[in-house]
Amino acid sequence: MNILVIGSGGREHALCWKLAQSPKVSKIFCAPGNAGTSQVAENVDIKAEDLPHLLKFAKEKSIDLTVVGPEVPLVLGIVDLFESQGLKIFGPSQAAAQIEGSKIFAKELMKKYKIPTAAFASFTDPSDAKKFAKKLGAPVVIKADGLAAGKGVIIAETLSAAEQAIDSMKDFGEAGKKIVVEEYLEGEEASILCFTDGKTIIPMASAQDHKRVNDNDEGPNTGGMGAYSPAPIVTPELLEKVQHEILVPTIKGMESEGMPYKGVLYVGIMVTKNGPKVLEYNARFGDPETQCILPRLKTDLVDILRSTIDVRLSTISIEWDPRPAVCVVLASGGYPGAYTKGIKIKGLNDARQLDDVIIFHAGTAEKEGQIVTAGGRVLGVVGLGETIRHAIDRSYMAVKMIDFEGMHYRTDIGRKALKR
Ligand code: AMP
Ligand code: GLY
C-alpha cells in the first residue's frame, strides 16, 4: 500500500513511524513532513492546507490511504474532497470536524445531548459577553469560537482580565468574532482519544498532556510540553463513566445531527469532584499524546484505520503494550513566544541508540546534511519502561544527551503519575 500522511509535527513523525512497521505498507509519503519523517517516509513539499495539490499528488501516486494529522485540512473539508474522488482517507468529514472547528458548535451539541461540560453562553457582542462573565464571576474562561492554533483559550483570574480577554478576541480575526464565556472547572485534566467509525468506539490508551511551558504547570500555555501514557487518573471506573456519559452520547448525537463521525475523536476532560466534564473536542490525534500512545500500540495501525473508514471497527481488537511511555518535548529558546530557527541540534545520533528510547522530530529540518531547528517544539523524546518511573528516567537520560542553543524543556513530565 502507498500511504500519505499529512502534517509536519511530532504527531506525524509518530504516525509515519508506526505505519512503517506494517507489513502491508510499501511506501509512505509525508506532506510536508520534517527531518524525522524523512527517515521513514519520503517528504513531499506540499503544505497541509493546500488541498488541491494534495489531491493531485494522491491521485498521481495512487495513494491507497491518506492519514490527516492536523485539524486545519479536516475543517477545510479534505475528507469530503478525497472521498468524492474515490480516495480512502482517515478522518471526519468537514461537517463532523466542526466539533473542533467551532467551540459554539461543540458546546451546543453537549447541551442538546446532555454531555457534561462547563456552564457557558456564546456571544457576538463583547459587552454582552462581559456582562455574562461578571455574572459567572472570576476565575472565568474566555474562548474564541474558531481555530486559533491552540491560543484561543484564556483563563481569566479576575474580571478585569476577563474583560481584556474578551476585547482581545478580535485579534483572532474571523475565529474570534464569536466568543464563548464559560465556567472555570477545577480538577485534573486527561486526554481520552478513541477510534470510531460512527458505530463502534474503541478508546486508546489514556494519556495526559502538559500544556504550560514551565514545571509545576506554571507559565503560559503551549502546544504541549510533554505527555505520558497511561494516565493513572483514568481508572477503569472513570473510563466507563466517560464512555457512557461522554463518548457514546457524542457519537450518537453526531449521527442524529446528520454528521456521522469517523476517525479519531479526542476528548479533553477535566476530572472534577462532580465527575468528568468535557473541556474540548479535537477531531484528530493529539500532539504530543500520540507520541507516547503509538509506541504502546501493538496492533497494526493500518488495520485499525482501514476498518474505521470501512465501518467495520467492531471486527478489530486492539492490543497495548502494558509498559508506560513518557514524551518530553524539547523546545526552542523563547517558545511559546518568538524564537530563532536554523540552530544545529547535537547529540541526536547517540541518544537514539539508547534502548527503549524513540526520538520523534517536530520542528526540525535538514540543512547541508545537518539537522537544525525549524519550529517552536523541536523534538519529542520518548522513553518506555516497566514502570512510569523507569519511563521517565529513560526519557530524561536521552534528553541529557541532546543539546541545541536555547533549548528548554520541563523537568517534571510524568511526575503527577508518580503521586498516584
Ligand atoms: P481547550 O483548547 O478548550 O482545551 O483549552 C485549553 C486549556 O485551557 C485546557 O487544556 C485547560 O487547561 C484550560 N481550560 C479550558 N476550558 C477550561 C475550563 N472551563 N475550566 C478550566 N480550565 C479550562
Ligand atoms: N495535546 C493537545 C492537542 O493536541 O490539541
Side-chain angles (χ1 to χ4, degrees):
M1 284 177 75
N2 290 335
I3 309 254
L4 171 62
V5 173
I6 296 174
S8 60
R11 165 184 52 208
E12 287 76 19
H13 187 189
L15 284 164
C16 290
W17 171 87
K18 181 67 195 169
L19 290 164
Q21 294 167 13
S22 169
K24 300 186 174 88
V25 172
S26 38
K27 172 98 189 164
I28 306 176
F29 296 95
C30 188
N34 59 39
T37 59
S38 68
Q39 296 163 3
V40 276
E42 182 179 326
N43 286 352
V44 187
D45 191 16
I46 307 176
K47 290 204 169 63
E49 300 80 33
D50 186 353
L51 273 44
H53 281 104
L54 291 169
L55 177 67
K56 189 164 166 270
F57 179 83
K59 284 178 155 175
E60 274 170 15
K61 297 287 178 186
S62 309
I63 298 293
D64 301 294
L65 171 64
T66 299
V67 188
V68 188
E71 61 278 15
V72 173
L74 294 169
V75 169
L76 291 174
I78 193 167
V79 171
D80 312 61
L81 178 69
F82 274 47
E83 282 182 346
S84 73
Q85 305 282 316
L87 292 166
K88 297 241 186 228
I89 180 163
F90 180 83
S93 67
Q94 184 170 31
Q98 286 184 88
I99 206 163
E100 174 167 4
S102 165
K103 301 242 186 243
I104 297 177
F105 174 89
K107 294 297 288 191
E108 294 294 345
L109 181 86
M110 289 187 265
K111 191 159 132 190
K112 185 164 173 187
Y113 296 96
K114 301 192 170 49
I115 297 161
T117 189
F120 77 101
S122 56
F123 302 92
T124 47
D125 179 353
S127 63
D128 291 342
K130 287 177 191 172
K131 277 185 214 144
F132 184 73
K134 203 166 168 188
K135 202 169 121 197
L136 282 181
V140 63
V141 184
I142 314 297
K143 298 184 176 182
D145 175 50
L147 293 181
K151 301 196 175 83
V153 175
I154 300 175
I155 315 279
E157 304 289 346
T158 62
L159 278 182
S160 72
E163 292 188 354
Q164 264 181 28
I166 290 167
D167 288 331
S168 75
M169 288 292 139
K170 61 178 182 315
D171 301 343
F172 296 114
E174 201 56 40
K177 276 202 169 145
K178 295 187 210 148
I179 309 167
V180 174
V181 177
E182 74 176 34
E183 169 200 10
Y184 175 77
L185 296 176
E186 261 176 274
E188 192 175 330
E189 278 182 56
S191 309
I192 312 275
L193 284 78
C194 58
F195 294 106
T196 178
D197 59 6
K199 308 275 177 219
T200 302
I201 302 168
I202 307 185
M204 299 183 209
S206 62
Q208 193 170 69
D209 190 3
H210 296 64
K211 289 209 166 93
R212 305 292 196 99
V213 70
N214 297 325
D215 283 8
N216 304 314
D217 293 328
E218 284 169 10
N221 262 333
T222 67
M225 292 298 289
Y228 59 87
S229 171
I233 188 172
V234 185
T235 58
E237 297 74 41
L238 182 76
L239 187 59
E240 177 70 35
K241 224 172 148 67
V242 169
Q243 274 265 33
H244 185 71
E245 293 177 10
I246 297 172
L247 300 179
V248 171
T250 301
I251 295 305
K252 282 199 170 150
M254 291 299 283
E255 182 160 28
S256 307
E257 296 298 304
M259 312 169 183
Y261 192 98
K262 273 197 216 180
V264 168
L265 180 68
Y266 167 132
V267 189
I269 59 166
M270 186 72 91
V271 184
T272 73
K273 60 179 190 312
N274 299 320
K277 295 193 180 186
V278 177
L279 290 172
E280 63 163 343
Y281 292 110
N282 291 321
R284 51 172 174 79
F285 286 97
D287 189 340
E289 289 91 335
T290 303
Q291 289 89 308
C292 54
I293 290 177
L294 289 185
R296 302 187 58 221
L297 177 65
K298 287 184 165 175
T299 313
D300 188 333
L301 184 58
V302 170
D303 291 341
I304 303 175
L305 302 184
R306 284 209 299 199
S307 57
T308 301
I309 295 172
D310 299 340
V311 195
R312 47 179 177 78
L313 195 56
S314 61
T315 63
I316 289 275
S317 76
I318 299 186
E319 266 191 87
W320 298 98
D321 184 338
R323 291 179 307 159
V326 168
C327 171
V328 179
V329 169
L330 307 184
S332 291
Y335 176 80
Y339 52 84
T340 317
K341 295 182 190 175
I343 299 170
K344 190 181 160 212
I345 306 171
K346 289 177 268 185
L348 275 176
N349 281 337
D350 289 338
R352 60 189 278 203
Q353 306 299 326
L354 291 177
D355 287 339
D356 294 327
V357 165
I358 312 159
I359 297 171
F360 291 124
H361 290 226
T364 66
E366 220 174 300
K367 203 168 104 186
E368 292 152 10
Q370 299 211 322
I371 305 219
V372 299
T373 65
R377 290 188 295 166
V378 177
L379 298 163
V381 180
V382 177
L384 286 143
E386 290 309 315
T387 63
I388 186 92
R389 174 85 263 167
H390 287 123
I392 292 171
D393 291 347
R394 273 275 116 187
S395 169
Y396 281 106
M397 187 187 288
V399 165
K400 295 216 164 66
M401 296 167 77
I402 302 171
D403 190 32
F404 55 88
E405 200 188 309
M407 175 176 110
H408 69 96
Y409 57 89
R410 279 180 61 159
T411 64
D412 65 346
I413 304 298
R415 200 179 287 164
K416 251 185 239 166
L418 290 174
K419 290 193 191 131
R420 293 187 171 270

